[in-house]
Amino acid sequence: YGSRVINFAAGPAILPANVIKKAQSELYNWRGSGMSIMEMSHRGKEFLSVIQQAEADLRDLLKIPENYEVLFLQGGATTQFSAIPLNLCTSDDTADFIVTGSWGDKAFKEAQKYCKGKVVWTGKAEKYSSIPNQSELNVTVGAKYLHICANETIHGVEYKDYPSTGNDTLLVADMSSNFCSKPVDVSKFGLIYAGAQKNIGPAGVTIVIVRKDLIGKAQPSTPIMMDYKIHSENRSLYNTPPCFAIYMCGLVFGDLLSQGGLEAIERKNVEKAELLYDAIDASEGFYKCPVEKNVRSLMNVPFTMATPEMEAQFIKEASAQGMVQLKGHRSVGGIRASIYNAMPRAGVERLVAHMKAFQARHI
Ligand code: PMP
């Protein structure tokens, strides 16, 4: 790994080493332009080629249908918690929420300010360790949309099949922490959104994929920077976009394509996650993952040990071996290994070896 650590951070997170190196090689003088991406006009032909290629590659990766718009926005996924109801609902409309973790809960709380938000299922009582079956859902007839968090970054629960909604109810998904980690049938969704800083790039850009017929109905009070119509009409260039972040996402999309696209990426992610979950399950309770097996996340793997002191010792020793950012989110404690697309299999193998050695020393 040379001078680089094995970074298990939840986000901002590890990026592919070859992408960082490519960015480094182009940083000083981007493709003969005599300047870096950061110094260019966002309306010049150079940057236009960057954002257009990024969009084309993302469309290719996710097989995004023609009737969907791709927007590169700012404000993080958090801004979408309010932008979505502001764009899709009137203040009298109902939006349903399945709450499978902290992020879904935050999305619900923010949406309530701009529409009638309703929690149709929550996993709070079981500390967010599962995802409901279709039969457990009591969706609201006439709800404008049903919101899910496709992968709860803190709790490590991930949808494997998406819920079906009533006839006119749109499915809306926060895919911040599993975006581009596997193929997705975009046509099932009214809107998909994702902050970049986990799987596809640096913080600063948020992707929104929205069905075109849903654009143009924003509530009158919607701030201009949150109105999808403005951004769609201006091809994400209404104001100065986060140019460098978009450029980096573009490099990552190119890298994912060159690895064989999202089917190939998913296979690698399944293998990595299996290595880690198998190690947890084979530890005879020394390591415990609280999440129901059928919805365990391929991206964020939380686990606990007998005591917080032991966990602290585990994290400290991992860090001494170059494996960093393994501490669980401050709201839940424990350990969390985030193993996004860019985490090499060898990184997970190193963690598993540490788990085995640590356990051997403590029993
Ligand atoms: N949704 C999910 C699933 C997340 O993991 C995060 C960030 N950790 C957010 C939303 C919030 O994203 P941002 O910080 O980009 O606003």
Side-chain angles (χ1 to χ4, degrees), residues 77-78 81 97-109 128 147-149 151-155 174 176-177 193 198 329-330 336:
T78 304
F81 295 168
F97 286 79
I98 300 178
V99 178
T100 54
S102 309
W103 294 109
D105 187 48
K106 284 193 167 151
F108 158 67
K109 287 188 172 130
Y128 298 125
H147 181 280
I148 62 167
C149 179
N151 183 67
E152 283 284 354
T153 321
I154 296 174
H155 298 89
D174 176 356
S176 294
S177 50
Y193 64 107
K198 289 129 192 341
H329 190 269
R330 60 190 185 279
R336 169 177 55 174

Side-chain angles (χ1 to χ4, degrees), residues 104-351:
D105 187 48
K106 284 193 167 151
F108 158 67
K109 287 188 172 130
E110 186 67 5
Q112 260 183 318
K113 298 178 186 167
Y114 308 105
C115 69
K116 298 199 163 70
K118 191 170 166 213
V119 174
V120 294
W121 189 90
T122 173
K124 191 166 186 194
E126 303 89 49
K127 296 190 178 152
Y128 298 125
S129 54
S130 65
I131 281 176
N133 293 323
Q134 191 74 33
S135 60
E136 295 169 69
L137 294 178
N138 200 0
V139 293
T140 310
V141 176
K144 197 76 197 185
Y145 65 89
L146 171 66
H147 181 280
I148 62 167
C149 179
N151 183 67
E152 283 284 354
T153 321
I154 296 174
H155 298 89
V157 294
E158 179 171 19
Y159 279 84
K160 308 296 168 177
D161 300 303
Y162 299 106
S164 13
T165 59
N167 285 345
D168 295 327
T169 302
L170 305 161
L171 185 59
V172 169
D174 176 356
M175 294 197 182
S176 294
S177 50
N178 65 355
F179 194 60
C180 289
S181 66
K182 58 185 177 184
V184 169
D185 180 358
V186 174
S187 70
K188 282 193 177 155
F189 297 85
L191 185 148
I192 290 169
Y193 64 107
Q197 69 273 19
K198 289 129 192 341
N199 241 347
I200 57 157
V205 60
T206 308
I207 311 275
V208 171
I209 302 170
V210 54
R211 223 173 64 201
K212 285 182 178 165
D213 62 294
L214 304 174
I215 299 174
K217 296 170 190 156
Q219 294 183 25
S221 63
T222 306
I224 200 160
M225 275 301 288
M226 290 162 89
D227 188 340
Y228 299 148
K229 183 161 187 272
I230 293 291
H231 292 296
S232 144
E233 282 172 355
N234 291 280
R235 317 272 354 203
S236 304
L237 297 168
Y238 173 68
N239 72 327
T240 319
C243 302
F244 191 75
I246 293 170
Y247 157 74
M248 288 296 293
C249 290
L251 293 186
V252 171
F253 297 152
D255 178 60
L256 295 176
L257 283 172
S258 73
Q259 288 184 57
L262 298 187
E263 284 84 7
I265 296 297
E266 180 180 32
R267 277 196 297 279
K268 291 185 198 172
N269 285 331
V270 167
E271 279 178 25
K272 285 186 286 175
E274 273 176 6
L275 269 178
L276 195 41
Y277 287 117
D278 285 353
I280 293 168
D281 293 340
S283 73
E284 298 184 325
F286 189 82
Y287 303 106
K288 288 199 181 95
C289 171
V291 182
E292 270 184 17
K293 281 194 179 165
N294 59 340
V295 293
R296 285 173 167 182
S297 170
L298 298 184
M299 299 283 101
N300 311 97
V301 181
F303 56 97
T304 58
M305 297 167 63
T307 64
E309 292 72 29
M310 219 176 197
E311 289 164 350
Q313 186 64 23
F314 177 92
I315 291 165
K316 195 172 148 204
E317 289 180 19
S319 175
Q321 297 172 55
M323 290 177 278
V324 303
Q325 304 269 15
L326 282 163
K327 204 165 176 337
H329 190 269
R330 60 190 185 279
S331 64
V332 294
I335 292 161
R336 169 177 55 174
S338 295
I339 50 172
Y340 297 117
N341 289 348
M343 172 59 65
R345 186 189 160 96
V348 179
E349 284 169 350
R350 181 95 78 94
L351 177 60

